[in-house]
Amino acid sequence: MTNVRVIKPALAALVAAAACVGGLAFSSAQPAQADTYSDLINAQNQHAASVQREAELKQQLAGASQDLANKVLELDDLTNNKIVAAQAKVTQANEDAATAQDEADAASGRLSAAQKDKETLEEQIKQTGKDYDDAHAAVAQLARDEMHGSNASDVMSVVTGATSTQDFVNSMQSRDALSRNEANAASSAATSLSTSKNRGERLAAIEKQIAVLKTQADEKAASAQTAAETAQSERDALDKLRQEGEARRDELSSMIDSLDSQSAKQAAQTVLIASQVDSYNRQFQKEQQDAANRVDTGNQGGTPSTPVTPAPAPAPAPAPAPAPAPAPSVGGQGTSNGDYGNAYAAGQCTYWAYERRRQMGIGTPSYLGNGGDWWRNAPSYGLRVDHNPQVGAALSFLPGQDGADGTYGHVAVVEAVYGDGTFQISEMNWGGPWNMHHRTLTNLGQYWFVH
């Protein structure tokens, strides 16, 4: 199992260019808007694809009742435009919240360091008094060490032109102060004072710096809180849209049989599949959030680690107690041989292929390996492998095929097969672990299907 190196799907493969057809009460996609030139280009491309898809759907739905056609188009707009835009806002809001939290943590760290320096200096003052000058004492000691056994007056005169030990100490101290670049808050604050830095003056400088750092830390914390609230608001808005999509999908599903033409049914089914795939995103996000809430958050505020490409699945190992056999397979598909439950890496394409087939009542061996190896390993378990798409079949992409990873390949599940040679697939790890996606592909005998 592996992550899939993702490429953006060619939207032209999903829909063909077509002129708009009148008679459907549906608002066109909104004009593209963006902040940067790159964003503008992407937004314009997305807008063009949306208009193209809408035109194709209208053409396929010609002749259907206006009410039903509108429901199909509205669900498509919700799934492919509104939810996508909301997801982009959530992603940006989450990134902004993470950045704000990092800045707040850094400000808090600087404040803690300064407070620690203050405590240390206060303890030193108790022992020596406020007038003790660390820099003066250190330079004086250095002078004594360096001039031991030599003519002090000659050394002072040559090095600094000083005529007395005190002049020498002051001169060396001044030079040392100018060249010092201390990392701790105490010395950083002290550099803004004169070259005479006794502990009392340094304490005053630290206290002044702490006041500034405290203000900065409070401001950063407030910004982080605001960013977190904004991110949560965007997530709530996205979830509300997805709930609306589920309700619209259920309503449309009950009406699809009333469509007479095959093209209209295919259009409606395509939109329903896209909505269903998006609902899986909502489901998995909720599962991840529930799992995160159950974890002992000893490292609160930390950033989750980036998922890494898992190693290839291990060879099958005997299981002490096989999982219950799946429901009866459909169309002669699936097997209970080697099916010990979903042993694939969570959030990856193989995980979804196993899970989706299980939902369809199709058994799948637990150790078929990487997505690109399923077609090769499946026959050893008694599964049929051919070039014919069938609902529920696993499409095992060869390495590099149609955007699959060049080493590990990819795997998806066939959701629908149409009479024109095209078929719909659902797939996970599109753009990242757990991300669901769907595509329409054309079968020319180039794909391996595991039944």
Side-chain angles (χ1 to χ4, degrees), residues 343-400:
Y344 299 99
Q348 302 294 316
C349 59
T350 46
Y351 175 90
W352 168 250
Y354 178 96
E355 185 64 21
R356 180 58 176 148
R357 281 164 60 88
R358 183 193 64 78
Q359 294 173 3
M360 294 176 168
I362 305 173
T364 306
S366 302
Y367 298 99
L368 287 177
N370 300 309
D373 296 327
W374 278 35
W375 70 277
R376 181 185 296 107
N377 297 331
S380 65
Y381 292 94
L383 289 170
R384 174 167 50 96
V385 177
D386 57 30
H387 296 293
N388 303 315
Q390 181 182 1
V391 173
L395 169 50
S396 180
F397 289 92
L398 302 176

Side-chain angles (χ1 to χ4, degrees), residues 8-9 21 55 209 223 269 306 326 366 383-384 386-387 395 415 434 440 446:
K8 292 186 177 180
V21 178
Q209 186 71 4
S223 295
Q269 190 175 32
T306 302
S366 302
L383 289 170
R384 174 167 50 96
D386 57 30
H387 296 293
L395 169 50
E415 298 286 345
W434 295 107
T440 299
Q446 75 273 39

Side-chain angles (χ1 to χ4, degrees), residues 1 8 16 32 72 109 124 145 181 187 196 209 268 328 340 378 391 397 408:
M1 174 55 216
K8 292 186 177 180
V72 173
Q124 293 174 339
D145 294 340
N181 185 16
S187 292
S196 179
Q209 186 71 4
Y340 304 107
V391 173
F397 289 92
Y408 303 103

Side-chain angles (χ1 to χ4, degrees), residues 61-215:
L61 292 166
S65 71
Q66 181 171 318
D67 179 60
L68 183 53
N70 284 342
K71 291 184 183 299
V72 173
L73 291 167
E74 288 167 359
L75 180 57
D76 177 75
D77 180 56
L78 181 65
T79 302
N80 292 294
N81 295 327
K82 294 179 180 178
I83 288 179
V84 171
Q87 181 63 67
K89 287 184 177 181
V90 167
T91 300
Q92 185 61 54
N94 287 342
E95 291 176 357
D96 292 344
T99 299
Q101 186 60 54
D102 288 343
E103 292 177 353
D105 292 342
S108 177
R110 290 191 293 271
L111 175 61
S112 296
Q115 291 172 333
K116 178 63 177 177
D117 287 340
K118 178 175 180 290
E119 293 172 2
T120 299
L121 190 54
E122 286 175 334
E123 288 299 318
Q124 293 174 339
I125 288 175
K126 289 179 182 179
Q127 301 172 8
T128 64
K130 291 184 176 182
D131 293 333
Y132 186 85
D133 190 328
D134 293 275
H136 188 283
V139 174
Q141 182 60 46
L142 177 62
R144 288 191 292 271
D145 294 340
E146 290 296 326
M147 294 185 295
H148 181 70
S150 66
N151 188 312
S153 297
D154 291 342
V155 172
M156 287 187 293
S157 178
V158 170
V159 175
T160 67
T163 58
S164 68
T165 301
Q166 184 61 43
D167 287 343
F168 172 79
V169 168
N170 289 338
S171 177
M172 292 297 293
Q173 179 181 355
S174 177
R175 295 183 185 188
D176 181 62
L178 290 175
S179 63
R180 247 184 289 130
N181 185 16
E182 301 287 352
N184 61 66
S187 292
S188 295
T191 56
S192 62
L193 300 178
S194 66
T195 56
S196 179
K197 305 175 188 65
N198 63 44
R199 288 180 172 175
E201 292 169 324
R202 290 174 60 200
L203 179 60
I206 291 175
E207 290 174 339
K208 181 179 180 180
Q209 186 71 4
I210 285 175
V212 174
L213 292 173
K214 178 66 167 60
T215 299

